[in-house]
Amino acid sequence: MKIGLIGLGIMGKPMAKNLMKGGYTDLLVSDLNRDSVAEIVAAGAKAATNREIGESCDLVLTMLPNSPQVEAVMLGEEGVGAYMKPGSTFIDMSSINPVNAKKIAAELAKRGVEMLDSPVSGGEPKAIDGTLSFMVGGKQEVFDKFKPVLATMGASVVRCGDVGAGNTTKLANQIIVACNIQALAEALTLARKAGVDPQLVFEAIRGGLAGSTVMNAKAPMMIAANDKPGFMVDLHIKDLNNALDCAHTVGVPLPMTAEVMEVLQWLHNREGGRKDHSAMIQYYEHLTGIELGR
């Protein structure tokens, strides 16, 4: 199977490497960043234009920032979709608005091209070790055919429904993650302000009901004042914008999501957009005048 992967950012690069480790070595790659392309070519892939990918690949994957980029790559002038063969498949692993995913799928269907929307969760660490969670929308038979491909990059690959369901599930995931990080930041700030060591609080509660993957990943970063991005603030802002937009479309109130968005926007406006989303702790440090990090 010849596979094309467009998008070699923080997530896309390690995902490309895991594809090849999983046996999918006939891999063509494309990205605007030439250094990223060169790195993946050095690992065994081949550089190609988007047109070459569309014309020659049985499966096209994208890992791009948001809906406009995916639409431009697939449906824009000289878009990949125009060159894909009937019977080929497109899997978008980006996190975009479900409405846009359905639009792209409908346009590709006119050309005989199948589509799965398959956003991921886990950030850079899980992209590197190949344990991402894939939330997939699309036809059952298409999912069954390409699940092994996704499984080379993830520990969990679950079909959630038809096209659009994958991104709807991802939006739900991002709401839960963001609200958990904000709650964690508040709790550890309370501990520090009350004179209790946040590290000991973390160790005491991590095995109880409050414990979570989010806590295990983000509490040590907050305590160590480490805001190196595993998942950037600006990307979470993008996801929550999509969640709020989708919610407004279907008529669902998301007051907690809106509140977390304000904290993330505060960080963005203070040059924190490229920090890890655990940097939400810095908002509370600003409010209280204390520093959680050791």
Side-chain angles (χ1 to χ4, degrees):
M1 181 190 303
K2 182 170 286 189
I3 298 176
L5 173 58
I6 302 167
L8 300 173
I10 289 176
M11 302 288 286
K13 280 196 294 185
M15 293 168 77
K17 292 176 182 178
N18 284 326
L19 273 172
M20 290 185 285
K21 289 177 184 176
Y24 297 100
T25 55
D26 198 357
L27 180 66
L28 304 184
V29 295
S30 172
D31 192 274
L32 295 176
N33 187 318
R34 293 183 180 180
D35 290 340
S36 294
V37 173
E39 179 179 338
I40 301 306
V41 168
K46 299 175 184 176
T49 65
N50 289 353
R51 177 171 182 167
E52 290 169 340
I53 287 173
E55 289 178 337
S56 63
C57 291
D58 308 295
L59 172 64
V60 174
L61 306 172
T62 50
M63 191 63 183
L64 298 167
N66 204 356
S67 306
Q69 289 81 14
V70 179
E71 286 198 33
V73 164
M74 295 306 299
L75 304 180
E77 187 176 352
E78 296 296 309
V80 177
Y83 302 103
M84 291 179 71
K85 303 180 296 289
S88 58
T89 299
F90 168 55
I91 302 180
D92 179 34
M93 303 182 297
S94 320
S95 296
I96 69 174
N97 193 314
V99 174
N100 296 92
K102 292 177 182 179
K103 173 185 173 183
I104 295 167
E107 289 299 316
L108 293 178
K110 297 175 184 177
R111 306 169 189 179
V113 175
E114 297 286 357
M115 175 177 169
L116 300 175
D117 69 312
S118 184
V120 302
S121 177
E124 183 183 17
K126 290 185 178 293
I128 291 171
D129 62 23
T131 58
L132 291 166
S133 294
F134 284 85
M135 297 148 273
V136 189
K139 296 177 182 175
Q140 183 70 55
E141 60 269 26
V142 180
F143 171 78
D144 291 341
K145 181 178 180 179
F146 293 103
K147 182 179 179 180
V149 177
L150 300 179
T152 64
M153 301 176 282
S156 171
V157 184
V158 178
R159 179 180 177 268
C160 304
D162 293 329
V163 170
N167 274 291
T168 300
T169 305
K170 176 60 185 289
L171 295 183
N173 179 85
Q174 293 303 81
I175 290 170
I176 293 168
V177 170
C179 291
N180 265 267
I181 294 175
Q182 181 172 1
L184 177 63
E186 288 192 6
L188 296 184
T189 300
L190 170 64
R192 174 68 82 195
K193 191 71 171 178
V196 182
D197 186 344
Q199 178 65 37
L200 297 179
V201 172
F202 169 52
E203 292 174 6
I205 67 177
R206 64 186 299 186
L209 188 59
S212 67
T213 301
V214 170
M215 180 184 290
N216 288 340
K218 301 306 175 181
M221 294 184 71
M222 292 179 181
I223 293 167
N226 173 17
D227 57 21
K228 180 179 181 293
F231 191 79
M232 291 190 298
V233 165
D234 280 349
L235 290 177
H236 217 137
I237 287 174
K238 178 264 295 185
D239 287 340
L240 295 190
N241 267 326
N242 283 334
L244 291 166
D245 184 53
C246 183
H248 295 158
T249 300
V250 300
V252 174
L254 299 179
M256 290 178 66
T257 303
E259 181 179 346
V260 179
M261 175 67 94
E262 292 303 308
V263 176
L264 292 171
Q265 290 287 357
W266 182 90
L267 282 164
H268 171 82
N269 291 332
R270 285 159 179 78
E271 299 183 351
R274 299 189 65 82
K275 294 179 179 179
D276 187 79
H277 47 183
S278 62
M280 276 194 263
I281 189 67
Q282 295 171 17
Y283 172 76
Y284 292 95
E285 291 175 341
H286 172 78
L287 291 179
T288 61
I290 65 170
E291 291 187 2
L292 186 70
R294 295 173 181 270

